[in-house]
């Protein structure tokens, strides 16, 4: 009897494994394309990675998570984060941060991240006038 239960479990797990086959996923995502001069990114895995690297660089530059939190847009979807595609394989993120629990932003950070993971903190200091940037 125990052998039949084990065999039934093995068959059930095998069926689940086949049903969730990676061959059904989209292995060839659609390429990027241009629409009225705006670049549309269909596969934003690299952009999301860059956003996370930029946020982490700001966290390090400002003393860690015990002292600093980036604005909510740096924790959400990458397409809604404050970035500029520089057209040369890099993205520049300009965002604000504050002390944990505070709703008043006190720090502005500008970080440029390349597709190969290189990070450069371009600015980290007082919030500047948005017209001066």
């Amino acid at each position: 009897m125990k052998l039949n239960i084990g065999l039934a479990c093995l068959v059930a797990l095998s069926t689940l494994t086949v049903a969730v086959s990676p061959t059904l996923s989209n292995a060839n995502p659609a390429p990027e394309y241009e629409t009225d001069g705006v670049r549309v990114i269909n596969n934003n895995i690299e952009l999301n990675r860059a956003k996370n690297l930029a946020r982490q660089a700001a966290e390090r530059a400002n003393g860690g998570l015990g002292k600093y939190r980036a604005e909510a847009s740096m924790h959400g979807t990458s397409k809604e984060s404050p970035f500029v595609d520089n057209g040369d394989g890099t993205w520049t993120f300009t965002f604000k941060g504050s002390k944990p629990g505070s709703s008043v932003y006190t720090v502005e950070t500008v970080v440029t991240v390349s597709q190969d993971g290189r990070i450069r903190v371009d600015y980290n200091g007082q919030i500047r006038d948005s017209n001066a940037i």
Side-chain angles (χ1 to χ4, degrees), residues 58-59 62 64-70 95-100 107 109:
E59 291 165 353
N62 290 290
L65 287 173
K67 297 181 179 181
Y68 173 85
R69 292 286 196 281
F95 54 98
K96 296 175 178 74
S98 64
K99 291 182 180 182
V107 178
T109 305

Side-chain angles (χ1 to χ4, degrees), residues 18-71:
V18 171
V20 186
S21 173
T23 59
L24 299 176
S25 67
N26 185 4
N28 298 315
E32 296 177 3
Y33 59 92
E34 299 267 339
T35 304
D36 295 332
V38 176
R39 190 172 192 183
V40 178
I41 301 173
N42 288 325
N43 185 355
N44 65 3
I45 293 171
E46 293 86 7
L47 177 59
N48 192 57
R49 178 176 176 254
K51 176 200 65 165
N52 290 334
L53 290 171
R55 187 189 70 245
Q56 292 166 358
E59 291 165 353
R60 278 190 306 276
N62 290 290
L65 287 173
K67 297 181 179 181
Y68 173 85
R69 292 286 196 281
E71 65 180 275

Side-chain angles (χ1 to χ4, degrees), residues 30-124:
E32 296 177 3
Y33 59 92
E34 299 267 339
T35 304
D36 295 332
V38 176
R39 190 172 192 183
V40 178
I41 301 173
N42 288 325
N43 185 355
N44 65 3
I45 293 171
E46 293 86 7
L47 177 59
N48 192 57
R49 178 176 176 254
K51 176 200 65 165
N52 290 334
L53 290 171
R55 187 189 70 245
Q56 292 166 358
E59 291 165 353
R60 278 190 306 276
N62 290 290
L65 287 173
K67 297 181 179 181
Y68 173 85
R69 292 286 196 281
E71 65 180 275
S73 64
M74 291 302 288
H75 295 276
T77 61
S78 56
K79 67 182 178 183
E80 295 176 10
S81 63
F83 75 94
V84 173
D85 184 336
N86 298 317
D88 61 358
T90 66
W91 294 282
T92 299
F93 296 84
T94 302
F95 54 98
K96 296 175 178 74
S98 64
K99 291 182 180 182
S102 175
S103 60
V104 178
Y105 296 120
T106 57
V107 178
E108 178 181 343
T109 305
V110 179
V111 180
T112 300
V113 181
S114 66
Q115 288 182 359
D116 65 6
R118 287 177 288 140
I119 304 162
R120 183 181 73 230
V121 177
D122 301 313
Y123 178 79
N124 187 58

